[in-house]
Amino acid sequence: PLTVIHNALFEGLNSFPLLAIPCFVVAGTLMEQGGVTGQIIDVVKMLVGRMYGGLGITTIMACTFFAAISGSGPGTVAAVGTLLIPSMLRQGYSPQYAASVSSSGGTVGILIPPSNPLIIYGIIGNVSITGLFTAGFIPGFIVAFALILTAWSLAKRDKVGIDVGLPPFSAVIFLKICFRNIFSLLTPFIILGSIYSGICTPVEASIVAIIWSLFVGGVINRALNAKKIYAALLEGAMLCGVVLLIVGASTLFGKILTIEQAPQRLANIFLSISQDKYVILLLIQAMLFLLGMFLETLATLIILVPVLLPVVIHVGVDPIHFGIILVVSNEIALLTPPLGVNLFVSSRIANIPVEKVAVGVLPYIIVLLFCSLLITFVPQISLFLPHFFGYF
């Protein structure tokens, strides 16, 4: 019936949790414009700048920090890569290494809380967003550590990356820098602490993130002005428009799939192949890997979650565990051409063809595949913290 069309479009958009996405994006842009991201990078560089691939490792660690502000993969690449790719090029890294490490580091942005894909998954699958955020921590840090190890190995192989300009490490100087940048370093703890302490919902925490970013960038760093605030608001509005168009249309698509009994048919296909939950999860991951080459991450989640979630619940997979598997699988999609969004962002900053970046990220893709399999076959990596904090 034609009434399904406008009802489904409105239902898809009339969702309070969706407000968190543009607010976190605006907060991330304000942090970048207000100098918060640069201060976090200065602290991280003091710790790892003297190692092989020090700036590459700094990039991934900064992406991990910034992910706790932005929640967006491409947004994380843009914010951190703009600051660190030129530094790497001046330090003697190849443009391919600089662009590929930034692209790969940005994938952590969709797993470390707050994560836009996890918010979307929680809304569509009616799963606790706070539980999903909690579940993303350990997998996120495992992925970040694996990427750091890869960046270090590649830099050591090529004998590049030791920042000779840095003075010998001094605990006193390091503590002074931490103290000077204390407000920036407190940012992830303020945002995530407000959620896990029960003071704020994820949407309310996204507003806290904006207020805090205005305070630190405007009052403490005195780097924000009306022009920069306008640019941040504009970027948030543009991303919000894109997301809402996808959510509205995909909700309608999901409704049509339900009417046509597509989930039941797909479930029968998977279950006819195997009743083993791990076999089904591997089939789903293979499908996501292929679809990720052609579909944007949020679109993939919005279209497939209503279809796949009933299947995995039927075979005994926890919905929170499945959400983390979906997001880790979609991390790989951010690096696979022809649509890999992170590749295009970093190639533009490094000013090299996207094809070279696609070759450079291959070691990181292999590492992400291993991480994805580990998280799939060891559910407690995702479920330990949600169980511990009682989100079940």
Side-chain angles (χ1 to χ4, degrees):
L2 294 180
T3 52
V4 169
I5 296 174
H6 58 77
N7 285 340
L9 288 171
F10 181 76
E11 286 170 15
L13 302 180
N14 188 28
S15 174
F16 181 71
L18 275 179
L19 286 172
I21 293 177
C23 292
F24 276 128
V25 171
V26 169
T29 313
L30 287 170
M31 298 286 179
E32 181 189 352
Q33 301 278 7
V36 175
T37 310
Q39 291 177 340
I40 291 173
I41 288 170
D42 288 342
V43 173
V44 173
K45 194 190 293 186
M46 278 289 294
L47 286 172
V48 297
R50 298 162 190 80
M51 302 168 62
Y52 280 114
L55 283 179
I57 296 168
T58 300
T59 301
I60 295 169
M61 291 179 71
C63 286
T64 306
F65 255 93
F66 192 77
I69 303 166
S70 166
S72 163
T76 302
V77 177
V80 177
T82 302
L83 294 169
L84 280 173
I85 287 177
S87 299
M88 281 189 270
L89 297 179
R90 287 193 297 270
Q91 196 70 32
Y93 293 82
S94 69
Q96 186 184 52
Y97 179 94
S100 61
V101 78
S102 300
S103 298
S104 307
T107 61
V108 186
I110 68 169
L111 185 56
I112 296 280
S115 157
N116 293 344
L118 285 178
I119 292 171
I120 292 291
Y121 173 81
I123 293 167
I124 296 172
N126 195 26
V127 181
S128 165
I129 294 175
T130 306
L132 287 166
F133 280 4
T134 311
F137 269 110
I138 296 177
F141 286 119
I142 287 174
V143 169
F145 178 76
L147 293 176
I148 285 170
L149 202 58
T150 308
W152 176 80
S153 302
L154 293 173
K156 188 177 181 183
R157 181 196 66 188
D158 299 332
K159 297 287 187 286
V160 294
I162 296 178
D163 192 339
V164 292
L166 283 176
F169 181 81
S170 164
V172 175
I173 295 174
F174 176 71
L175 289 174
K176 282 182 179 178
I177 292 176
C178 288
F179 183 74
R180 189 168 66 237
N181 300 332
I182 187 66
F183 286 96
S184 296
L185 294 175
L186 282 175
T187 301
F189 302 100
I190 295 289
I191 297 168
L192 297 175
S194 66
I195 297 174
Y196 298 121
S197 64
I199 297 171
C200 296
T201 65
V203 174
E204 291 163 349
S206 68
I207 307 301
V208 170
I210 289 178
I211 295 170
W212 181 257
S213 62
L214 287 169
F215 170 70
V216 177
V219 179
I220 304 298
N221 296 342
R222 298 185 179 179
L224 284 177
N225 54 36
K227 184 179 178 181
K228 290 180 177 180
I229 292 172
Y230 174 76
L233 292 171
L234 183 64
E235 184 170 337
M238 289 173 68
L239 184 125
C240 181
V242 172
V243 170
L244 290 179
L245 284 171
I246 294 172
V247 170
S250 299
T251 305
L252 171 60
F253 181 61
K255 184 79 73 175
I256 294 168
L257 288 176
T258 304
I259 292 170
E260 297 298 327
Q261 297 188 327
Q264 293 89 327
R265 295 179 186 180
L266 186 65
N268 291 335
I269 292 170
F270 278 133
L271 295 173
S272 67
I273 297 171
S274 174
Q275 293 282 336
D276 186 274
K277 66 179 181 181
Y278 292 111
V279 173
I280 290 174
L281 286 175
L282 288 174
L283 288 171
I284 290 172
Q285 284 179 295
M287 180 177 67
L288 287 170
F289 185 74
L290 292 172
L291 287 175
M293 295 180 181
F294 308 101
L295 276 176
E296 196 270 335
T297 299
L298 294 182
T300 304
L301 288 174
I302 292 165
I303 292 170
L304 292 182
V305 168
V307 180
L308 297 176
L309 191 57
V311 177
V312 297
I313 290 175
H314 176 78
V315 295
V317 178
D318 187 279
I320 288 181
H321 180 213
F322 183 60
I324 301 300
I325 292 171
L326 279 182
V327 172
V328 174
S329 301
N330 275 291
E331 282 187 330
I332 300 168
L334 293 172
L335 301 176
T336 50
L339 189 67
V341 188
N342 286 13
L343 303 180
F344 290 96
V345 176
S346 64
S347 70
R348 188 174 70 247
I349 299 169
N351 197 27
I352 63 169
V354 72
E355 294 85 359
K356 285 192 175 181
V357 188
V359 173
V361 297
L362 284 174
Y364 299 96
I365 289 176
I366 292 169
V367 167
L368 284 172
L369 281 171
F370 277 112
C371 290
S372 177
L373 292 173
L374 176 67
I375 290 164
T376 299
F377 285 100
V378 187
Q380 282 308 308
I381 291 175
S382 305
L383 299 179
F384 171 73
L385 285 180
H387 275 298
F388 183 78
F389 287 108
Y391 290 120
F392 284 91

